[in-house]
Amino acid sequence: MPESGPTRTQGHIPTVEAAPTPAPDPMQTPTVDTVQTPAPVQTPAPAPASGVAARRAGLLVTLVLGGLTALPPLSMDMYLPALPEVTGALHAPAATIQLTLTACLAGMAFGQLVVGPMSDKWGRRRPLLIGMVVYVVATATCALATGAEMLIAFRLLQGLAGAAGIVIARAVVRDLYDGIEMARFFSTLMLISGVAPIVGPLIGAQILRVTDWRGVFHVLTVIGVLLTLVVAKWLHETLPHERRHGGGVVEALGTMRGLLTDRVFTGYVLAGGLAFAALFAYISASPFVVQEIYGASPQTFSLLFGLNSIGLVAVGQINGKLLVGRVSLDKALGFGLVTIALAALALLLMTTGVFGEVGLAPVAAGLFVLMSAMGLAMPNTNAQALMRAPHAAGSASALLGTSSFLVGAIASPLVGIAGEATAVPMAVVQLVCALGAVACFLGLCRPWRAPTAHITQSTRIAQS
């Protein structure tokens, strides 16, 4: 079944010698209504290498990009067990220390808007290495913070710099892969980056057994230094000079505005952002719902949290290994979004008492289904959106990431709006976000439309 998205020759992995161009994939077809923004003429990149060397290089790139996307959530989650200790050590109220999380999250959201266009202009390596160096400095300074205000400021800088890894990792995937191969790679990337929410709090708790809260930032600093060295040595440039943008801020803003005028691109961005907001609602509310309302122990909560994360990663692998190439990306994405909506509806019915008094097990099952379906929604929205923007992968990646973090940050506080005695707000937020994602997908992406051959504006420029 054909996939939508502009078809082009895949970029090569620079660490190996390029091989002859492979036969075109019959499953890929040109896209429809491709974004109409002025862009440089696209010059096809050399084909990917083949054989054992290519597979080894591909594995190395996967591990590096997985580390880059896992570092920001690791920076958030490792710090969570230390919050009570930070409150006492810096003599600040809990609400003020909570701002250290908000600052880091805001930095990750807005940093992508800056780094994405920079990577389209200067290439991927330079902005990424600058971001990694700033991340290391900011994280090391967090460990030396003498007051809450200083910690908040450098957590903001840490988030801004850490955003480089998220946005450029997606842009590099767009440089190297296209069509179903890109969707497969995003699913594989989820296997690595999805481990961070599982192990982050566990690592942080173990660090606190041997040292204080500053030790968390010491460990993150070491991880940042090691990842910077790995990127400098093994992640080569993936954006050739002829495909870079020469403009400044004005052109970058124009490119983003042009991307957002593409109805289909915007549909995928909104669908992915709203699905991510349902995930944020789960992360924000689940500790309270599972432990306070249903009386589970912290160990039980940790077990359920880990199982849900494993479900997300496992379905992501099913998507990449079994579905992609056999089922259209839009069908898999649509099934994932509908499943999230149905799971959220079931949770709402259970939490409002429609089925009578329910215990933890049915609620945990509903959360597991909702989380697992994210493994279909997230990689496929990323792949479909980035296939709309081969000329501006960095800017497109920035819009994807920023929208997800901003919508998630808005949705998270709403789960506690009705107080501590009910889980209904969590289910309501999840259902509203899920239904909004389905509506954006159907109303803007219109997946039922048959793909037809279409010549993009950049191709017409090349032919004229």
Side-chain angles (χ1 to χ4, degrees):
M1 188 171 296
E3 301 294 343
S4 61
T7 302
R8 64 180 178 87
T9 306
Q10 296 178 7
H12 72 294
I13 298 172
T15 53
V16 295
E17 183 181 356
T21 304
D25 190 340
M27 304 208 46
Q28 295 183 9
T29 59
T31 189
V32 294
D33 301 330
T34 305
V35 58
Q36 302 294 309
T37 54
V41 176
Q42 303 301 310
T43 303
S50 59
V52 176
R55 288 193 295 272
R56 288 175 179 170
L59 176 60
L60 183 59
V61 169
T62 302
L63 294 175
V64 173
L65 297 183
L68 290 173
T69 55
L71 184 60
L74 197 63
S75 302
M76 294 284 293
D77 295 337
M78 279 181 60
Y79 175 67
L80 292 178
L83 282 176
E85 184 177 332
V86 176
T87 301
L90 298 183
H91 307 289
T96 301
I97 299 302
Q98 287 286 346
L99 291 177
T100 62
L101 296 175
T102 304
C104 188
L105 185 63
M108 291 180 191
F110 291 105
Q112 296 184 61
L113 289 177
V114 177
V115 179
M118 287 172 57
S119 72
D120 284 337
K121 179 180 179 180
W122 294 332
R124 312 304 184 201
R125 270 178 60 85
R126 191 192 310 180
L128 178 57
L129 288 173
I130 292 174
M132 292 302 300
V133 170
V134 174
Y135 173 88
V136 169
V137 173
T139 305
T141 308
C142 286
L144 304 175
T146 56
E149 294 79 8
M150 181 178 177
L151 182 58
I152 292 171
F154 281 95
R155 283 285 280 176
L156 175 64
L157 183 60
Q158 184 191 42
L160 288 168
I166 302 174
V167 67
I168 292 180
R170 279 196 299 261
V172 168
V173 174
R174 184 63 186 93
D175 294 338
L176 296 177
Y177 299 98
D178 201 358
I180 60 175
E181 290 302 321
M182 180 162 56
R184 285 196 181 107
F185 194 93
F186 274 125
S187 295
T188 303
L189 209 59
M190 186 179 293
L191 177 63
I192 302 172
S193 60
V195 174
I198 303 174
V199 303
L202 299 177
I203 295 175
Q206 295 306 310
I207 292 173
L208 293 177
R209 291 171 62 91
V210 297
T211 183
D212 62 5
W213 64 272
R214 300 179 190 274
V216 174
F217 290 107
H218 290 144
V219 172
L220 286 171
T221 301
V222 173
I223 294 174
V225 170
L226 293 177
L227 191 54
T228 302
L229 295 176
V230 170
V231 168
K233 181 173 178 60
W234 281 298
L235 187 64
H236 295 258
E237 183 58 63
T238 60
L239 186 66
H241 285 279
E242 62 269 18
R243 288 170 48 207
R244 298 180 187 179
H245 293 197
V249 175
V250 174
E251 181 177 333
L253 293 176
T255 299
M256 289 185 177
R257 183 172 59 251
L259 288 169
L260 292 175
T261 59
D262 175 25
R263 168 180 51 78
V264 180
F265 174 83
T266 302
Y268 286 124
V269 169
L270 291 177
L274 288 168
F276 199 65
L279 173 63
F280 261 64
Y282 158 76
I283 293 173
S284 300
S286 60
F288 164 73
V289 170
V290 173
Q291 296 181 77
E292 299 297 327
I293 295 180
Y294 290 98
S297 66
Q299 291 76 21
T300 300
F301 165 72
S302 299
L303 176 61
L304 293 177
F305 192 90
L307 287 175
N308 290 339
S309 299
I310 292 172
L312 186 152
V313 172
V315 173
Q317 296 315 294
I318 293 173
N319 177 73
K321 304 298 184 183
L322 299 180
L323 299 182
V324 172
R326 296 178 175 87
V327 179
S328 75
L329 301 186
D330 277 337
K331 284 187 176 181
L333 171 57
F335 182 81
L337 294 178
V338 170
T339 302
I340 293 170
L342 292 176
L345 176 60
L347 286 168
L348 180 60
L349 294 177
M350 285 188 286
T351 55
T352 52
V354 172
F355 301 131
E357 291 293 330
V358 297
L360 176 60
V363 173
L367 291 173
F368 178 81
V369 172
L370 185 145
M371 279 289 290
S372 298
M374 295 289 175
L376 293 175
M378 292 195 292
N380 290 325
T381 50
N382 285 338
Q384 291 288 65
L386 288 174
M387 280 193 286
R388 307 286 302 183
H391 63 286
S395 296
S397 176
L399 290 172
L400 279 167
T402 300
S403 63
S404 296
F405 277 101
L406 287 180
V407 177
I410 294 172
S412 295
L414 299 179
V415 299
I417 198 170
E420 302 180 356
T422 176
V424 172
M426 177 192 72
V428 169
V429 171
Q430 289 174 330
L431 181 59
V432 170
C433 290
L435 292 177
V438 172
C440 290
F441 176 60
L442 296 178
L444 297 177
C445 303
R446 301 176 187 175
W448 60 84
R449 295 181 58 181
T452 56
H454 181 77
I455 300 177
T456 65
Q457 179 174 350
S458 61
T459 304
R460 286 198 293 268
I461 294 173
Q463 293 174 343
S464 62

